[in-house]
Amino acid sequence: MFSHAPVMINESIDSLVLNKSGAYLDCTFGLGGHSKEILKRLNSEGTLNSIDQDQMVIKYAKKIRDPRFKFEYSKFSRIGELFINKKFDGILFDLGVSSLQLDDPSRGFSFQKNGKLDMRMDQNDKVSALEWVNKAKEKELADIFYYLGEEKKSRLFAKRVIEKRRTKLIESTEELAEVTYVGKKFRNSKKHPATNIFRAIRIFINNELEEIKKALQASIDLLQDKGRLVVISFHSMEDRIVKNFLKGKLENQENTNSIKIIGKIIKPSREEINLNARSRSAILRIGEKISG
Ligand SMILES: C[S@@+](CC[C@H](N)C(=O)[O-])C[C@H]1O[C@@H](n2cnc3c(N)ncnc32)[C@H](O)[C@@H]1O
């Protein structure tokens, strides 16, 4: 039912799989596009572990009947505990949401497809967007819109959320998007006015930035010497964390001399962007574990 074009598939897997008999970890299985490509590149001795925090992907993982492949439903911040005695030749992160999540109105991620507000990638998480949007104080809403969404009208939109929910709970993605329909120009602007606050709420509900920081730190101990870390980010906040991490400059980073940057950042080709508009903001960064 859902299709998903894996982003920068060749660029990412070319930089990841350097050893056909190696062990690999895909931290963001999604619909399995990258995982399947990794398996294609491995010989019979190679192995792939994949994880994802979305229960809906379990059925897609089960379809891969390959003795070299194992799937686990988990958050990637737990990779250190999950793979305690294991070393990988390469670890992949293809961050953000999948088409499975974005295109399904019942997951409540999108202002383009009306559905009950939710936005949890992991259905077992306690707080959904619906609960948070209807309970948070005005200042908290404004801060999240501003800091995680870089939304200039953060205070105005927070105020409008409070006003709207005085008469009725904000239950659907459309009702939430309506708080951003202000002034004459909003309908003509290229970017939907709700883009930033939806992204902010999604990042907040899924604790995305902390998840990435924890998982990147844990990945160092899981990599073999010269093992590769390949990360695809989709917005500046994610990418900044990845860039700082590879430079050893992430706040409270341990093992700052354990990874080096390989090559320059890679962006999708014109052709890929034309075929898959969602790839347009993607940025690929590659790191390599320093031996010793
Ligand atoms: C962009 S999609 C990956 C698409 C995949 N590479 C493919 O080719 O189909 C990102 C996936 O990462 C998962 N994800 C995001 N944050 C996660 C986290 N903290 N722990 C585990 N999975 C996460 C999402 O549930 C989603 O399925």
Side-chain angles (χ1 to χ4, degrees):
M1 181 180 165
F2 293 95
S3 70
H4 172 81
V7 172
M8 287 191 271
I9 187 84
N10 287 322
E11 296 87 332
S12 56
I13 308 303
D14 287 351
S15 335
L16 183 78
V17 179
L18 305 182
N19 172 8
K20 282 180 178 304
S21 337
Y24 290 88
L25 172 61
D26 178 356
C27 292
T28 49
F29 178 80
L31 282 160
H34 289 89
S35 280
K36 286 179 200 158
E37 185 60 30
I38 295 170
L39 286 168
K40 264 194 217 158
R41 310 264 184 120
L42 297 178
N43 63 23
S44 59
E45 283 162 34
T47 60
L48 172 64
N49 287 86
S50 295
I51 63 170
D52 202 296
Q53 65 172 337
D54 184 353
Q55 285 176 338
M56 296 290 282
V57 314
I58 297 173
K59 66 170 185 258
Y60 294 94
K62 280 193 176 146
K63 286 188 185 159
I64 305 182
R65 295 210 170 88
D66 185 323
R68 303 170 300 168
F69 172 71
K70 263 198 196 136
F71 176 83
E72 194 127 9
Y73 157 65
S74 171
K75 291 188 192 303
F76 54 53
S77 54
R78 293 191 53 238
I79 54 176
E81 308 149 45
L82 282 179
F83 303 106
I84 205 151
N85 290 318
K86 202 158 164 123
K87 293 277 182 202
F88 294 99
D89 294 84
I91 303 182
L92 173 73
F93 292 88
D94 175 21
L95 298 169
V97 273
S98 67
S99 314
L100 184 67
Q101 294 158 339
L102 211 55
D103 295 345
D104 180 350
S106 75
R107 303 295 301 270
F109 276 95
S110 169
F111 45 78
Q112 265 146 0
K113 302 199 173 182
N114 193 25
K116 188 174 165 198
L117 251 187
D118 191 321
M119 297 201 204
R120 284 172 300 176
M121 291 191 208
D122 181 347
Q123 296 85 343
N124 278 324
D125 280 348
K126 290 207 179 83
V127 183
S128 70
L130 192 152
E131 286 165 81
W132 183 72
V133 164
N134 286 291
K135 270 196 195 145
K137 299 211 165 89
E138 186 171 335
K139 181 170 181 324
E140 192 184 359
L141 289 161
D143 283 351
I144 296 295
F145 296 167
Y146 183 74
Y147 291 110
L148 298 184
E150 295 166 328
E151 174 52 64
K152 290 197 189 104
K153 296 187 186 132
S154 55
R155 292 217 181 112
L156 173 65
F157 292 166
K159 193 163 162 246
R160 285 174 60 101
V161 167
I162 302 288
E163 280 164 6
K164 199 172 173 72
R165 74 187 200 200
R166 261 192 209 122
T167 46
K168 182 191 167 298
L169 283 183
I170 299 175
E171 285 173 301
S172 68
T173 54
E174 179 53 39
E175 285 167 348
L176 176 60
E178 276 164 14
V179 305
T180 66
Y181 299 168
V182 210
K184 282 185 194 150
K185 280 194 195 150
F186 78 88
R187 281 193 196 281
N188 302 328
S189 74
K190 266 195 199 156
K191 185 168 148 182
H192 191 290
T195 305
N196 295 346
I197 70 160
F198 269 65
R199 196 184 74 205
I201 297 172
R202 192 202 89 199
I203 294 175
F204 176 71
I205 291 296
N206 295 290
N207 197 18
E208 289 182 32
L209 305 182
E210 285 312 310
E211 277 287 313
I212 298 169
K213 286 180 197 165
K214 275 194 197 155
L216 289 176
Q217 304 250 34
S219 66
I220 296 286
D221 285 340
L222 294 180
L223 281 171
Q224 308 267 21
D225 288 349
K226 297 202 164 187
R228 285 285 173 96
L229 178 69
V230 173
V231 188
I232 305 173
S233 317
F234 287 85
H235 57 76
S236 56
M237 251 173 282
E238 281 171 354
D239 184 54
R240 211 171 302 137
I241 293 174
V242 180
K243 182 173 77 181
N244 285 336
F245 176 74
L246 292 176
K247 288 183 172 171
K249 287 184 179 165
L250 197 64
E251 210 183 315
N252 302 325
Q253 182 169 347
E254 291 162 14
N255 307 322
T256 47
N257 294 319
S258 307
I259 192 129
K260 67 174 182 193
I261 295 173
I262 299 289
K264 292 195 170 149
I265 58 167
I266 304 177
K267 294 189 173 176
S269 64
R270 226 347 89 214
E271 293 78 40
E272 176 165 4
I273 296 173
N274 289 340
L275 287 170
N276 175 15
R278 278 186 193 159
S279 69
R280 67 184 176 274
S281 51
I283 295 178
L284 170 66
R285 291 186 189 266
I286 305 156
E288 189 177 281
K289 173 136 172 202
I290 298 171
S291 26

